[in-house]
Amino acid sequence: MPMQLTQLNLPPYPVRLAGTSERPTIFDVLRRRYVALTPEEWVRQHFVQFLINQKGYPQTLLANEVKLQVGDKRLRADTVLYDRSLQPRMIVEYKAPTIALTQRVFEQISVYNLLLHVDYLIVSNGLEHYCCRMNYEANSYEFLADIPEHEKVTS
C-alpha cells in the first residue's frame, strides 16, 4: 500500500517520485539522486524547495544529511546552509508531519549546534516551522516570526 503523502504548510513544487509502491523514492535536488520517500523526507524536500524558490537560498550553499561527530557519536544534521566562505550559518531539522515539535526536537538540533555554532536554527514538521536566531554574546536566542530571506541570514 502506498504511503499517504500529507498536505504540508509549504508551497507545492513539481515533485519527482520514482521507485515502486512498496519502496517509493523522491528526487533530492541537493544530493542529486533519488532517496527513500519517508514522511520526514517528504517534509525535507518541500522545505528545501521553499528555501530555494521562495526565500532565495542558493542551492549550491545547502547540503542534506551533513555528517557530524561528537566523541564516538556519529550524527547527521538534516540540512545545513553555508555562507560563501563555506562556514555553516543555519541548521534545519525535519520531523514527519505526525511528530510534534517538542523541546526534545530543539535539544536535538542544539547538540548539532554545539559543533557547528550557526546563527539560525529551524525545526519543521511540514505543518509548523520555528526559526530562532542565536545570540552568543548574550547566551540567548530569539524566535523569529518568519523564516528569513537568504540575504538577511548571510549579511
Side-chain angles (χ1 to χ4, degrees), residues 17 22 31 46 61-62 68 71 84 99 101 126 134 139 144-145:
L17 298 175
E22 294 81 31
R31 290 179 274 182
H46 277 79
L61 298 180
L62 291 164
L68 306 172
R84 299 215 180 272
I99 305 294
L101 300 179
M134 304 305 293
N139 200 19
L144 306 179

Side-chain angles (χ1 to χ4, degrees), residues 7-33:
Q7 179 74 38
L8 302 176
N9 184 16
L10 290 163
Y13 78 99
V15 177
R16 290 165 57 191
L17 298 175
T20 64
S21 59
E22 294 81 31
R23 291 182 177 262
T25 59
I26 187 169
F27 189 75
D28 182 331
V29 69
L30 301 184
R31 290 179 274 182
R32 294 185 187 87
R33 62 182 170 90

Side-chain angles (χ1 to χ4, degrees), residues 15-70:
V15 177
R16 290 165 57 191
L17 298 175
T20 64
S21 59
E22 294 81 31
R23 291 182 177 262
T25 59
I26 187 169
F27 189 75
D28 182 331
V29 69
L30 301 184
R31 290 179 274 182
R32 294 185 187 87
R33 62 182 170 90
Y34 283 90
V35 296
L37 176 57
T38 63
E40 182 179 306
E41 196 63 48
W42 180 247
V43 172
R44 181 199 327 255
Q45 296 308 319
H46 277 79
F47 204 91
V48 165
Q49 291 293 329
F50 165 71
L51 290 176
I52 294 168
N53 298 321
Q54 271 72 33
K55 296 294 182 174
Y57 288 73
Q59 183 175 321
T60 53
L61 298 180
L62 291 164
N64 282 339
E65 294 286 317
V66 175
K67 292 178 184 158
L68 306 172
Q69 190 160 347
V70 184

Side-chain angles (χ1 to χ4, degrees), residues 108-152:
Q108 180 181 358
I109 199 172
S110 296
V111 169
Y112 302 157
N113 198 35
L114 291 173
L115 293 169
L116 297 179
H117 207 73
V118 299
D119 298 320
Y120 294 87
L121 301 176
I122 297 176
V123 295
S124 176
N125 63 7
L127 304 173
E128 296 180 290
H129 327 289
Y130 295 99
C131 178
C132 62
R133 181 174 38 220
M134 304 305 293
N135 181 338
Y136 294 102
E137 289 78 42
N139 200 19
S140 66
Y141 55 88
E142 166 197 10
F143 279 95
L144 306 179
D146 196 10
I147 308 296
E149 305 283 329
H150 179 254
E151 63 267 9
K152 289 195 173 109

